[in-house]
Amino acid sequence: MNIRDVQTYLKSIGLYAGAIDGDAGKQTLQGVLALLMSQHVAGIEEWQASRRLVAAEQLLCRIAGIDPGQIDGLAGAQTRYACEVFDARQLNAGKPAPAIENWRDDATAPAVASRALPPVTSSKAGAPSSVPQWPRQSAAAMDSFFGPKGANCVKLILPYRMRLAWDLPVGVSEISCNAKVKESLERIFVRALDHYGADDIRRLRLDLYGGCLNVRRMRGSSSAWSIHSWGCAFDMDPDHNALNMHRAQATLDGAEYDAWWRFVEDEGAVSLGRARDYDWMHFQFARL
């Protein structure tokens, strides 16, 4: 999606009379502001023009029947995926593009071989005495174990301050997660901080928060609910470990991250990257 798409839509509803030139000039920005106001988007008075443009793109996705997440003007992973779907449909005469929208099925995608992870000791927190057993990845099993989507969630104070991956100046000191995974999540981050130290945490971008609780459909699936809906999945550094990246592109497959994945897998959590070689940003407390 680009500014021309926004201008085209604004012109179609009478909020823009200029040329479709991809230039975010005064008329375009005025039309964007009018669109956001007509949709009662909160907080736009204090947003910069770039954030308003992202919010307009989010609205265009929603109008096209594509879920971009919250209309907040922040280009997170869900928004970027929604724009990718929008572009694919534009090239497909406005029709759904199955190759982009329906390619993912965690339950049937073939397993891939990943290198073995060495054990890692930590002076502040060790591995759990036994590996927790999480439910299978199905809505019925998840509801039975974790409760309804969006319910039974608590605040987790993070052992180290993180940054919002799509708005780096914004710090993240606490997150919402399901009560049943709080102890495991906290232990992962405590062990990571103890092992790597604050400087390497930042260098390796293990402080880039991509999301936890988020009640929504799974990206890349037309029907399944995201594991994030139960607050038992976590996304890390999404820009460098995007949904459809494989290990050749995803940074989280690097050897420096072996200790990180050891801490994750000690808790019985599943890395979709290590298990299926896509969505390397994501790990979840649910079995495939």
Side-chain angles (χ1 to χ4, degrees), residues 120-144:
V120 182
T121 59
S122 170
S123 60
K124 292 187 177 180
S129 57
S130 60
V131 177
Q133 292 297 303
W134 305 106
R136 291 285 182 185
Q137 180 179 305
S138 73
M142 299 291 284
D143 280 344
S144 176

Side-chain angles (χ1 to χ4, degrees), residues 3 6-7 10 15-17 21 23-37 44 47-54 56:
I3 294 172
V6 175
Q7 291 173 327
L10 291 174
L15 292 180
Y16 177 67
D21 56 7
D23 180 17
K26 183 177 179 179
Q27 286 189 62
T28 299
L29 296 179
Q30 287 176 338
V32 165
L33 179 59
L35 172 65
L36 299 180
M37 292 177 65
I44 57 176
W47 293 357
Q48 294 183 349
S50 58
R51 185 169 178 179
R52 290 177 180 176
L53 283 167
V54 172

